Amino acid sequence: MSGDALGGGPRTLREQCSGRGPSLPDSHRAHLLHTTDSPTAHTHRTAHTTHPAQECLMTVDTTPTPRKRLFFNAFVMNTTSHIHHGQWRRPDAQQHNFNDVETWIDLARILEEAKFDSMFFADVVGLYGDAEADYSVYVDEGLQIPSNDPAVLVGALASHTRHIGLAVTSNVFQQHPTNFARQLTTLDHISKGRIAWNIVTGTQDNGYRNFGYQALEDHSERYRWADEFVDVTYKLWEGSWDDGALIQDKAGSRHADPSKIHKIFHSSPRYRVEGPFLPAPSPQRTPLLFQAGSSGPGRDFAARNAEAVFLIAPTPEIARQQIEETRALAVSYGRDPHDITFHQGLSFVIGDTEEEAREKFAWYQQYVSSDGYAAHSAIVDKAGRVYPADTPLSRIDTNTAKGFLEHLRKHITDREPTVGDLAVQRLEDTVIVGTPEQIADALEVWQAAGVDGINVINWVIPGSFQEFADKVLPVLRERGLAQSEYGEGTLRRKLFGQDRLSERHPAARYRGAFTGGPRSWAEAEQAAALTSTH
């Protein structure tokens, strides 16, 4: 198959994600789809039922074109149970040792040896579901509680790696933008330009309550908040210091040029920031910008701000639709459609033969926690109460997970999808089961849909990544789909060929914007008033 892939002409791909992925055992499916209890009701979590993974075939006409490689990110979280719940109980799993920094240092070395592009750390700051309900299921499952701050961990990993990117998820409400910008600039200095920020707005009531707010903000209002937050960080990262401001001239006793360091006098409904920014510019200035919103406001925010979008699309076709819509929006905002890359989240079950892969997947399913998947997929109404799993999507009115619900409506068209389908989708639609060659074939289909990279979702740490590195990446390299060596320079240079944000990005307008600007709040407010009248 790999020889076929390097040439032209049609070939049949065993594509397990193009339609429906490998099916759950009936016992798990019934629990996730039809229970009318709250996801916090703790029932028996493991059904020891095996089944052969299903596959669908898809024929793709491949015209010979220059091969463009895919980017590969390791999707992880500083916790025990991140995405595939129950797997931490397997004898080969080590993710329960997440408090031990050596667990992560060892994984980072495995990933860098395999030439992964980045470690992408997810994060949350609260529990899922109903903030006022019993939360024992999350604690029992280790479902993102306990969890640790990824930004602190990344500082340690930066000193033990040289090339791999390090992406940190941080919510716009969890701290002030000035302090956050300072933290990421410090990390970018430590890593010599390998930091990325995954911009999120939050989906949990409990998370907002943990930071003193009454409840989750309205969906659209959260993105307005994000606009304010990133505007402050852009001014600090791109505008407060001009190029060449840091001199460090020992002989001349001059450390920096004050004429090139500026106050920003930012004023908006939530933030009032004077500046100047305390850190000197890091290698990237602004970290590489990830974003994961798939709703209408999320796509609009990504079109204006993101350089990399994290997808969890159930099929390549649905991914293609989101990619095309987002790129068209980007053009409307004056950006190039390829200023944004798209990275699909997928899990893999790898066997030397199809039979072995199916048997392995059946073994994985013995550890599946139906309760974990159901609790993770909980959808709440605007009052914060959890919808039962059999609730039709047409009856859902929520501030959370709008993009996931939209994907589900597009994906299930032969009946009315329900809340329970979300939990099933996590295990069925983004899992590819097969040989390394079949997996490579499947990834070509995702690439043909416009996907630029893959966020590899693990079952266990470190085994899932080690197996992918040993078995799948060599096949991908034969096809020109994975890098064999790292390029030099910053993370952005490795992905886009330059260290700094594109001049088409909205942050670029702050370069030089504060030179000769206001010297006091009074002058700043007067200038703002004049601008508003014109």
Side-chain angles (χ1 to χ4, degrees):
M1 289 223 184
S2 58
D4 226 13
L6 292 171
R11 60 184 180 276
T12 300
L13 303 182
R14 298 181 183 275
E15 170 45 56
Q16 293 165 309
C17 287
S18 59
R20 302 293 293 179
S23 298
L24 280 166
D26 290 342
S27 55
H28 292 316
R29 176 181 286 275
H31 178 83
L32 295 172
L33 286 174
H34 303 302
T35 178
T36 56
D37 296 332
S38 162
T40 55
H42 194 62
T43 57
H44 183 55
R45 34 171 100 81
T46 308
H48 297 278
T49 306
T50 62
H51 79 295
Q54 303 298 312
E55 73 175 39
C56 46
L57 301 179
M58 182 177 182
T59 301
V60 176
D61 182 19
T62 57
T63 303
T65 55
R67 178 70 71 189
K68 181 181 178 182
R69 80 169 179 95
L70 289 165
F71 302 112
F72 289 93
N73 313 302
F75 190 45
V76 294
M77 186 173 177
N78 198 359
T79 191
T80 291
S81 193
H82 176 204
I83 299 293
H84 287 308
H85 305 298
Q87 300 296 319
W88 70 272
R89 296 173 292 138
R90 283 170 41 180
D92 59 332
Q94 294 299 315
Q95 55 260 44
H96 61 292
N97 293 321
F98 70 93
N99 282 324
D100 185 349
V101 70
E102 295 299 330
T103 297
W104 298 105
I105 291 171
D106 289 345
L107 177 59
R109 287 170 172 160
I110 288 170
L111 296 170
E112 193 161 66
E113 177 66 25
K115 306 301 185 292
F116 270 73
D117 290 278
S118 77
M119 292 181 76
F120 185 122
F121 280 91
D123 194 35
V124 294
V125 290
L127 301 174
Y128 293 88
D130 188 338
E132 297 181 3
D134 177 74
Y135 52 86
S136 59
V137 63
Y138 301 101
V139 176
D140 287 344
E141 296 286 338
L143 200 167
Q144 303 184 15
I145 179 175
S147 64
N148 296 331
D149 187 338
V152 178
L153 175 59
V154 159
L157 299 182
S159 66
H160 286 82
T161 55
R162 289 189 57 211
H163 298 287
I164 193 167
L166 300 164
V168 173
T169 296
S170 186
N171 202 306
V172 297
F173 69 76
Q174 71 186 76
Q175 63 173 308
H176 194 280
T178 301
N179 192 59
F180 174 75
R182 189 184 189 203
Q183 286 179 342
L184 262 65
T185 293
T186 303
L187 288 171
D188 206 50
H189 279 301
I190 292 170
S191 67
K192 295 181 172 58
R194 294 183 284 127
I195 297 300
W197 171 28
N198 179 34
I199 309 166
V200 296
T201 62
T203 60
Q204 302 101 3
D205 268 334
N206 180 243
Y208 272 72
R209 293 183 183 193
N210 282 340
F211 289 85
Y213 303 101
Q214 291 290 325
L216 184 70
E217 283 274 11
D218 177 76
H219 186 261
S220 295
E221 183 59 30
R222 296 202 300 272
Y223 280 102
R224 285 190 285 272
W225 190 336
D227 281 330
E228 280 188 54
F229 190 101
V230 300
D231 196 44
V232 176
T233 63
Y234 294 162
K235 289 175 180 178
L236 295 171
W237 283 326
E238 296 290 334
S240 186
W241 286 63
D242 294 342
D243 291 338
L246 187 64
I247 301 170
Q248 295 182 319
D249 176 8
K250 289 185 178 183
S253 189
R254 198 166 187 232
H255 196 264
D257 183 348
S259 70
K260 294 184 176 183
I261 301 170
H262 315 289
K263 292 187 175 183
I264 65 170
F265 295 109
H266 172 93
S267 181
S268 62
R270 288 181 176 84
Y271 303 115
R272 185 175 170 90
V273 179
E274 182 167 300
F277 195 36
L278 292 183
S282 65
Q284 296 183 119
R285 282 193 178 245
T286 299
L288 188 82
L289 299 172
F290 270 91
Q291 199 263 345
S294 55
S295 65
R299 288 196 297 272
D300 186 80
F301 183 87
R304 288 180 285 112
N305 296 282
E307 297 174 277
V309 173
F310 180 19
L311 307 174
I312 299 285
T315 69
E317 174 57 24
I318 291 174
R320 183 191 62 76
Q321 293 172 20
Q322 181 177 340
I323 291 167
E324 290 182 354
E325 289 170 7
T326 306
R327 285 189 164 140
L329 279 171
V331 171
S332 75
Y333 288 117
R335 302 181 71 192
D336 186 280
H338 297 287
D339 285 346
I340 309 175
T341 57
F342 294 83
H343 304 249
Q344 169 69 24
L346 294 171
S347 304
F348 304 93
V349 183
I350 307 161
D352 292 333
T353 65
E354 281 191 58
E355 182 180 7
E356 180 185 322
R358 291 174 177 175
E359 289 175 353
K360 188 181 290 187
F361 189 53
W363 182 64
Y364 288 10
Q365 289 181 337
Q366 293 180 31
Y367 292 91
V368 164
S369 168
S370 300
D371 284 350
Y373 283 94
H376 194 176
S377 302
I379 301 296
V380 298
D381 61 25
K382 289 186 176 179
R385 307 291 80 81
V386 172
Y387 283 105
D390 60 354
T391 306
L393 294 198
S394 59
R395 291 171 51 194
I396 300 299
D397 185 18
T398 183
N399 275 328
T400 70
K402 288 180 179 287
F404 288 117
L405 296 174
E406 183 179 328
H407 282 165
L408 198 60
R409 290 187 184 99
K410 291 180 179 179
H411 187 39
I412 299 177
T413 58
D414 58 343
R415 60 176 174 83
E416 172 73 24
T418 66
V419 169
D421 286 308
L422 280 174
V424 173
Q425 184 177 316
R426 284 185 187 272
L427 189 56
E428 286 194 354
D429 296 325
T430 56
V431 177
I432 303 178
V433 179
T435 66
E437 290 76 15
Q438 290 170 334
I439 289 169
D441 291 343
L443 295 184
E444 289 193 36
V445 176
W446 285 97
Q447 187 185 50
V451 166
D452 301 287
I454 304 298
N455 275 12
V456 180
I457 300 171
N458 69 86
W459 302 89
V460 296
I461 289 175
S464 294
F465 295 115
Q466 185 70 71
E467 186 177 36
F468 190 84
D470 291 343
K471 293 182 177 294
V472 179
L473 284 176
V475 175
L476 293 170
R477 289 189 183 106
E478 288 179 4
R479 303 187 186 192
L481 291 172
Q483 66 181 350
S484 298
E485 297 295 338
Y486 285 110
E488 292 301 318
T490 65
L491 179 59
R492 183 175 286 112
R493 178 168 292 278
K494 290 179 174 76
L495 268 63
F496 291 101
Q498 60 191 44
D499 297 326
R500 300 281 299 277
L501 277 169
S502 163
E503 69 279 359
R504 295 176 294 274
H505 192 279
R509 69 182 182 269
Y510 294 124
R511 295 169 184 165
F514 302 104
T515 302
R519 292 168 294 177
S520 68
W521 277 108
E523 288 185 11
E525 288 162 1
Q526 183 179 24
L530 287 173
T531 301
S532 65
T533 60
H534 296 290

